[in-house]
Amino acid sequence: MLKYRSIIRTLSTTSPLKTSHKPSSPRPSLSFEKEYNIRSSLEHLITDYSGKTIPQITLDSLINISKKDISTNAIATINYLTIFNTKRLAAFRALPYLVVLNPHISETYQLYLKSLEILLSIDQSEYKNFDKIHNSLLYYSEIHKDAIPSLSKGFQEVSKFFPKGKIVDFLNLHFYDKINMETITNNYINLINKPENHIGVLNTKLNVSEMLQTWAGLVNDMAFIKYYKQVPIQIDFGQDVEFPYIGIHLEYIFTEILKNSIRANIESGNGDKPIKITIVSNSISSNRKNLSIRFRDDGGGIPPEVEKNVFDYSFTTVEKHEEDKIGMNTNSMPGESVENIAGMGYGLPLTKAYVELFGGNLELQSIYGLGTDVYIELIGPDTSLL
């Protein structure tokens, strides 16, 4: 990576980051030769690193890297993030020119250039400067936290001439890499902050029922603002289950499923009936457990013509006039602020991505006219590593 550090001073010059709250600075004038050399160096960097392979990120591998010394962890974190970042930049560059010209897609591309600049700014001699790395990774997370709304708008706009299948392929890989980047970043940050009962990003004693109740309360607060009504939550089994997992992943999964269930109960006239939740954890081998959760609502079920599309990106049942800023219809990844992106249609696809990241499974069973059951199964880490 050392040979590419010379481009960081001019990386933002060639590809300025556009922000809504800060006027852009006039672009410095560069000679043709200098501009060519900068762009050529950037191209070589993206080509070089995007071609590298990364071992699959698993709960076990996160635990193992977290147990190494912090310097080793810093090097691995920066290298992994650089590879993931350049893979995303290469994917954007492979899109048709008209697609990349879309201002929303271009804005997301600029974010990845900016985050690459942050990673390159960390010199190898500073790998033991844990505060600098910690602060750089906090900034790295911050600039990506609201990227989904812009990307969503961009692909909605280009979908008229860019095939849906290619959009789906791009987004599947994009969000897989984005979740991995988020996980790796938070793993290092937690190693510095040292929250209780954590090995890096993994919560070793996560009380599933307590987390469900917490996020159900948040969703019900949003429901009250929108509908002036809250839906009871009934955990009928598994109140004491603890499961080692990544808390921010479960936060997103629980929030999205509960938003759909609570909204369905209220809009079908069954707001007084509880969302019934069953929690079960079983051993699937001598050193590994799974977590199974069923969410059952009485929201009238999903129409057959709709059910086949619920995991499609940008498919939504939220009408345009229903869009809001309170978050009841909003899809945000962990750490993102709640913005007016209602009806974006990324909620269930992203939920499925989070569930499946470490070998889990998500299924829907719906009876139109009655209600819907959502089943998630998650696979825990090797307990001998904890």
Side-chain angles (χ1 to χ4, degrees):
M1 192 185 294
L2 192 61
K3 64 181 178 179
Y4 296 116
R5 295 192 185 282
S6 60
I7 71 172
I8 65 172
R9 297 182 182 86
T10 43
L11 183 55
S12 57
T13 299
T14 57
S15 301
L17 178 66
K18 301 175 183 177
T19 60
S20 57
H21 62 277
K22 186 177 179 181
S24 58
S25 302
R27 178 174 175 170
S29 177
L30 298 174
S31 68
F32 173 82
E33 181 179 5
K34 190 169 185 179
E35 175 110 10
Y36 175 82
N37 288 337
I38 292 168
R39 292 184 179 276
S40 178
S41 296
L42 179 60
E43 189 69 38
H44 284 311
L45 167 62
I46 293 173
T47 301
D48 184 5
Y49 267 78
S50 65
K52 295 180 182 295
T53 58
I54 299 179
Q56 184 179 0
I57 307 298
T58 66
L59 294 177
D60 292 357
S61 67
L62 287 169
I63 294 171
N64 284 326
I65 189 66
S66 297
K67 290 182 176 181
K68 296 182 183 298
D69 67 89
I70 197 69
S71 297
T72 301
N73 200 286
I75 295 170
T77 298
I78 294 167
N79 284 340
Y80 281 8
L81 289 176
T82 303
I83 295 171
F84 276 123
N85 206 109
T86 53
K87 284 181 182 294
R88 289 297 87 221
L89 285 168
F92 277 108
R93 289 178 167 222
L95 291 170
Y97 186 60
L98 283 177
V99 174
V100 182
L101 280 179
N102 180 276
H104 300 297
I105 294 175
S106 177
E107 180 183 8
T108 308
Y109 174 77
Q110 303 294 335
L111 289 176
Y112 278 89
L113 279 177
K114 182 64 178 178
S115 57
L116 178 61
E117 182 182 357
I118 292 169
L119 295 171
L120 291 176
S121 71
I122 304 172
D123 191 83
Q124 190 171 357
S125 63
E126 299 174 307
Y127 283 171
K128 292 188 178 181
N129 186 343
F130 308 130
D131 286 339
K132 175 174 181 178
I133 296 175
H134 175 265
N135 292 333
S136 296
L137 293 183
L138 284 175
Y139 182 40
Y140 183 92
S141 297
E142 177 71 17
I143 66 173
H144 281 284
K145 72 175 187 178
D146 293 322
I148 292 182
S150 183
L151 191 64
S152 169
K153 290 176 184 176
F155 276 111
Q156 285 175 352
E157 291 173 359
V158 305
S159 62
K160 297 176 182 177
F161 58 84
F162 193 50
K164 176 182 175 182
K166 292 187 176 181
I167 293 176
V168 170
D169 289 343
F170 180 92
L171 291 175
N172 278 336
L173 190 53
H174 180 85
F175 289 126
Y176 175 82
D177 284 354
K178 181 171 170 56
I179 294 171
N180 272 313
M181 291 165 69
E182 161 203 291
T183 302
I184 294 167
T185 303
N186 286 322
N187 193 66
Y188 182 86
I189 291 172
N190 274 12
L191 288 174
I192 300 299
N193 294 341
K194 296 181 169 61
E196 187 178 4
N197 296 325
H198 278 70
I199 301 176
V201 76
L202 184 89
N203 186 335
T204 60
K205 295 184 177 180
L206 193 150
N207 187 295
V208 180
S209 176
E210 287 182 3
M211 176 173 279
L212 276 166
Q213 293 285 10
T214 297
W215 290 95
L218 175 66
V219 175
N220 260 323
D221 287 345
M222 294 189 289
F224 186 78
I225 295 172
K226 182 176 177 65
Y227 300 105
Y228 301 102
K229 192 167 187 65
Q230 295 188 328
V231 176
I233 303 297
Q234 176 183 318
I235 298 179
D236 53 26
F237 189 83
Q239 290 89 342
D240 299 325
V241 170
E242 287 187 347
F243 189 72
Y245 210 73
I246 299 176
I248 55 173
H249 289 196
L250 289 184
E251 289 172 11
Y252 183 84
I253 294 166
F254 292 167
T255 302
E256 288 303 320
I257 294 174
L258 288 167
K259 280 197 298 187
N260 289 330
S261 297
I262 288 174
R263 176 172 173 248
N265 265 27
I266 293 174
E267 294 187 352
S268 65
N270 289 323
D272 293 328
K273 293 186 176 182
I275 307 298
K276 297 178 181 179
I277 303 174
T278 304
I279 307 167
V280 177
S281 180
N282 292 308
S283 296
I284 55 177
S285 69
S286 58
N287 293 324
R288 205 175 298 273
K289 293 182 178 181
N290 72 346
L291 176 70
S292 299
I293 307 177
R294 184 194 67 188
F295 299 79
R296 171 167 289 177
D297 68 52
D298 293 286
I302 305 172
E305 67 275 12
V306 171
E307 187 173 358
K308 63 183 179 181
N309 297 315
V310 293
F311 291 113
D312 289 353
Y313 291 107
S314 297
F315 178 81
T316 177
T317 58
V318 177
E319 299 295 335
K320 190 68 177 176
H321 68 270
E322 289 186 75
E323 295 184 359
D324 58 57
K325 292 188 178 182
I326 62 170
M328 194 60 196
N329 300 325
T330 298
N331 312 127
S332 303
M333 291 182 78
E336 292 185 335
S337 59
V338 175
E339 300 289 350
N340 185 19
I341 52 174
M344 189 175 67
Y346 283 20
L348 277 177
L350 277 173
T351 302
K352 197 168 189 290
Y354 273 101
V355 170
E356 293 179 349
L357 184 66
F358 299 122
N361 187 46
L362 185 152
E363 292 184 2
L364 295 178
Q365 289 184 355
S366 185
I367 300 178
Y368 187 43
L370 291 178
T372 300
D373 286 356
V374 180
Y375 297 88
I376 65 170
E377 181 187 15
L378 302 170
I379 310 299
D382 183 342
T383 54
S384 68
L385 299 174
L386 300 179

